[in-house]
Amino acid sequence: MPHLDALEAESAHIFREVAATFERPVLLFSGGKDSVVMLHLAAKAFWPAPLPFPVLHIDTGHNFDEVIDYRDATVERLGLRLMVGRVQEDIDAGRVVEDTGPRGSRNRLQTTTLLRSIREGGYDAVFGGARRDEEKARAKERVFSFRDEYGQWEPRSQRPELWNIYNGKHRPGEHIRVFPLSNWTELDIWSYIAAEGIDLPPLYYAHRRPVVQRDGMLLAHTRFLRLLDGEQPYEATVRFRTVGDATCTGCVESSASTPDEVVVEVAAARVTERGATRADDRISEAGMEDRKREGYF
């Protein structure tokens, strides 16, 4: 079986396994490339039936406009049930405190909103688009990732998955994060996007936009980014390798304007997309693992 066909079949099996064994699954959908591919795979896994679960977006309020437009268009086109958990609601309720400094980001605040949304929706399985090649903490992740009643992740509590047998057993209040793209790489994702003709937000392809050089990265100069002393925006031709909160997601200079051109570019890359463009992963050596232990994606 060709490589991409094998990955697709594995992901379809995971989706069907969850649908058959859990009562209230939900799929995290941000409009980013991994969640778009995950949604595409889910739709194929259950075709011609509609998706048997809703999609959930954790909205920081600091999103790229192009991504929100894409999310809404996709939901309407596919007739999806969209649930939105808003970080602003948790800020207003005093459940989290926003960092309003010049380097402030709402990215970490998403954890509280995610756990609240899971609890309020009664979801017992949550599909996420994380891949093992992205970051060393995610490389430890199982396909079925057990989370306790507080939504926390403990590497030593994960179950073995010999022969691709998945253990979804959990008590009331606990849930399972499910990662159908665990064994995919960034190159696999883009090769699949090219092969399937999957539409993406335009940020993923080369375009001109104002950027700011900060901490070795190019950050988009949006209404959410506060300039530091001495910073001067300038225009560059860039694209995004990953999309998240606009205050901490960087872009890379690129002329790749089609999926095939991106495939060539990614094949030559030696740094993962999170390592190259996500400022929130640079808070410490164990930044991602610490956030995952708190209940992050």
Short mmCIF file of all heavy atoms in Angstrom, two decimals, residues 7 23 54 79 128 138 182 188 245 264 284:
data_model
loop_
_atom_site.label_atom_id
_atom_site.label_comp_id
_atom_site.label_asym_id
_atom_site.label_seq_id
_atom_site.Cartn_x
_atom_site.Cartn_y
_atom_site.Cartn_z
N LEU A 7 -1.30 5.75 5.73
CA LEU A 7 -1.59 6.73 6.78
C LEU A 7 -3.07 7.08 6.82
O LEU A 7 -3.67 7.18 7.90
CB LEU A 7 -0.76 8.00 6.55
CG LEU A 7 0.74 7.90 6.79
CD1 LEU A 7 1.44 9.19 6.36
CD2 LEU A 7 1.05 7.60 8.26
N GLU A 23 -19.21 7.87 23.71
CA GLU A 23 -20.56 8.41 23.63
C GLU A 23 -20.60 9.82 23.03
O GLU A 23 -21.50 10.13 22.25
CB GLU A 23 -21.19 8.45 25.02
CG GLU A 23 -21.46 7.06 25.59
CD GLU A 23 -22.16 7.13 26.93
OE1 GLU A 23 -22.49 8.27 27.38
OE2 GLU A 23 -22.40 6.08 27.54
N PRO A 54 -19.65 16.90 16.64
CA PRO A 54 -19.44 18.32 16.34
C PRO A 54 -17.95 18.66 16.26
O PRO A 54 -17.09 17.83 16.58
CB PRO A 54 -20.09 19.03 17.54
CG PRO A 54 -19.94 18.06 18.66
CD PRO A 54 -20.06 16.68 18.05
N GLY A 79 -21.77 21.61 6.44
CA GLY A 79 -22.91 21.46 7.32
C GLY A 79 -22.53 20.94 8.70
O GLY A 79 -23.23 20.10 9.27
N GLY A 128 -7.55 15.64 18.35
CA GLY A 128 -6.61 16.74 18.14
C GLY A 128 -5.69 16.44 16.98
O GLY A 128 -5.47 15.27 16.64
N ARG A 138 5.37 16.04 22.38
CA ARG A 138 4.34 15.37 21.60
C ARG A 138 4.84 14.03 21.06
O ARG A 138 4.03 13.16 20.72
CB ARG A 138 3.88 16.28 20.45
CG ARG A 138 3.00 17.41 20.96
CD ARG A 138 2.48 18.31 19.88
NE ARG A 138 1.39 19.14 20.40
CZ ARG A 138 0.85 20.16 19.74
NH1 ARG A 138 1.30 20.48 18.55
NH2 ARG A 138 -0.13 20.85 20.28
N SER A 182 -0.96 11.16 14.54
CA SER A 182 0.26 10.94 15.31
C SER A 182 1.44 10.52 14.46
O SER A 182 2.57 10.98 14.67
CB SER A 182 0.02 9.87 16.39
OG SER A 182 -0.76 10.38 17.44
N ASP A 188 4.34 14.64 5.11
CA ASP A 188 3.17 13.82 4.79
C ASP A 188 1.91 14.68 4.65
O ASP A 188 1.11 14.50 3.73
CB ASP A 188 2.92 12.77 5.88
CG ASP A 188 4.02 11.72 5.95
OD1 ASP A 188 4.63 11.42 4.92
OD2 ASP A 188 4.26 11.22 7.07
N ASP A 245 -2.33 31.56 17.69
CA ASP A 245 -2.57 32.91 18.18
C ASP A 245 -1.66 33.89 17.43
O ASP A 245 -0.46 33.66 17.30
CB ASP A 245 -2.27 32.95 19.68
CG ASP A 245 -2.76 34.23 20.33
OD1 ASP A 245 -2.17 35.29 20.05
OD2 ASP A 245 -3.71 34.18 21.13
N VAL A 264 8.22 20.84 -1.79
CA VAL A 264 9.66 20.95 -2.07
C VAL A 264 10.35 21.72 -0.94
O VAL A 264 11.43 21.33 -0.48
CB VAL A 264 9.89 21.65 -3.42
CG1 VAL A 264 11.37 21.94 -3.63
CG2 VAL A 264 9.35 20.80 -4.56
N SER A 284 10.59 27.72 27.75
CA SER A 284 11.55 26.89 28.47
C SER A 284 11.79 25.62 27.66
O SER A 284 11.06 25.35 26.71
CB SER A 284 11.04 26.53 29.87
OG SER A 284 9.99 25.58 29.79
#
